[in-house]
Amino acid sequence: MSPGVSVAAGLKTGDVHHNKEDFMADSFKIDFQPHGAVETGDLVVFVGEDLKPSDAVARQIGPEAVDLIAKAAAAETFKGKAKSSMSIVVPAGLSVDRLIVIGLGGEKDRAGLDFVQLGGLVAGKANGKVATVALDLPGVEITPDAVADIALGAQLRRYSFDRYKTKKDDNGPDAGRLVLSVSDPAAVKKIYKAREGLQQGVVLARDLVNEPPNVLGPEEFAARAQALTKLGVEVEILDDKAMRKLGMQALLGVAQGSVRGGRVAIMRWNGGKPGDSPISFIGKGVVFDSGGISIKPGAGMEDMKGDMAGAACVVGLMHALASRKAKANVVGAIGLVENMPDGNAQRPGDIVTTMSGQTIEIINTDAEGRLVLADVLWYVQDRFKPKFMIDLATLTGAILVALAQEYAGLFSNDDELAERLTAAGKATGERVWRMPLGPEFDKMIESKFADMKNSAGRFGGSSTAAALLQRFVNDVPWAHLDIAGTAMGSPATEINKGWSSGWGVRLLDRLVRDHYEA
Ligand code: BES
Ligand code: MN
Ligand code: ZN
């Protein structure tokens, strides 16, 4: 359909209606209370490989229950290994329904304990009406920060995208609640507030990726970014006309095959010193990638609704940073388009002039993400002179060939930024692996007819894509994260049972927290 043809009245694309409040999935109910007696529901305790809970918990449940754990463990061949668990139903001598025993493993496991994952494990096991979790662990120090991470993990574990199911998920956020018993509830509550913003940011990113593409076109996506104004984020939306004026013809070339116009959303959180140059995050937001005229095969094409995961991550991150009032000046910018075949669609052979003035020959209309990012990256460095730019994009299938779904590909012109991202990846479990850039790859994108071409074939496919992006960053410290493998359909973990992972929100929140807040 060409843009001149209007959509039949009453059948506007994306015209499924939601209330504002419906946009955000419910949170799972978590309370904090001081250590003490537990009367009803489930009780969760932790043991090492010696099958013993901490001294305080042993005193609380009494010697009989401690003995019962050892006996049940023998019967169940439960050895207290990390990530293992057993539950004892109506345990004699205790008033609770179930005693859930979670293993912490040996010394090494405990030293490297990931509290977010642990929280996920707990929320997966404690699926009754109410579960009290005795957060006093043998051989592990539990700081208020650790408790907040456990609560975050529990929340993410209970995430469920069932908006379009008439029968709701029975282990979702509405199923029961958790009571975390801790030594200092007041201190924990304060820190948890900030983690709650992060949790909502991850949930927001997941929701955006899970939403069907008929509901979430570029315009609707931009409206979700606009909703961040209620957190104090300044949001500007560029429509086709504004982009034409700026000369963003690479982005517009992709958008022109769709009846739904493109958008760029610019989000600004100014929590740092006035006048300090911002840090910036840029996201690929292809709301649906059919491949365009170089159309993709049918099998699995529905997954290409998730080709906006980079943009979703940036929106989720801005939500997290604004919610916790991060002391940093941050720009988020996302390029939103739909890549469709159409009589008006861009063709292989077309040459587009980017906002930077450089020209690109289109070899393959399915290599569209780099075209979108070329203009948004240029725009951000030109307008904001940022300290750095980090872009996230479900950019290439080749990154899945190289790194499976375990690591995101990291490409950077700046070693310090690359090292910081790698460290944040280790700390959060959202890991990145550095991949090469360089003149060899840059040479591969030379074109017979234009300054460069948008596809150089299969060899080094992720690096040649990154090489094109690099031509639009103008010496600003920059990192590109290829998240085609990690953002969606990745293997289930204790904190992610769904299709979209919300990958990158925790990673980048951590990066900002560790290095860029005054
Ligand atoms: N959105 C895809 C990449 C992708 C693949 C994301 C699998 C998530 C899962 C991207 O736009 C694309 O189509 N890339 C092509 C580039 C090629 C035509 C040079 C690819 O990777 O095949
Ligand atoms: Mn594509
Ligand atoms: Zn794509």
Side-chain angles (χ1 to χ4, degrees), residues 360-361 370 439-448 450-456 463-472:
I360 307 178
E361 180 190 7
R370 62 200 75 180
E440 312 81 353
F441 302 106
D442 189 70
K443 197 164 183 306
M444 286 167 75
I445 59 171
E446 277 172 13
S447 155
K448 271 203 285 295
D451 295 340
M452 70 198 89
K453 58 186 178 186
N454 80 329
S455 168
S463 283
T464 52
L468 187 144
L469 300 183
Q470 190 172 12
R471 291 190 181 200
F472 296 88

Side-chain angles (χ1 to χ4, degrees), residues 98-120:
R98 290 190 302 174
L99 183 61
I100 299 171
V101 185
I102 293 187
L104 295 172
E107 224 167 277
K108 225 178 128 194
D109 298 310
R110 295 188 225 182
L113 191 58
D114 181 329
F115 292 107
V116 182
Q117 293 287 333
L118 184 68

Side-chain angles (χ1 to χ4, degrees), residues 426-447:
K426 284 184 183 149
T428 56
E430 293 187 330
R431 295 171 302 169
V432 300
W433 194 266
R434 194 156 182 194
M435 302 283 288
L437 285 166
E440 312 81 353
F441 302 106
D442 189 70
K443 197 164 183 306
M444 286 167 75
I445 59 171
E446 277 172 13
S447 155

Side-chain angles (χ1 to χ4, degrees), residues 284 286 289-292 294 296 304 307 339 364-370 394-395:
K284 169 180 173 182
V286 177
D289 181 12
S290 70
S294 315
K296 288 180 183 293
M304 285 302 113
D307 208 20
N339 189 23
N364 188 320
T365 65
D366 197 12
E368 85 297 339
R370 62 200 75 180
T394 47
L395 204 65

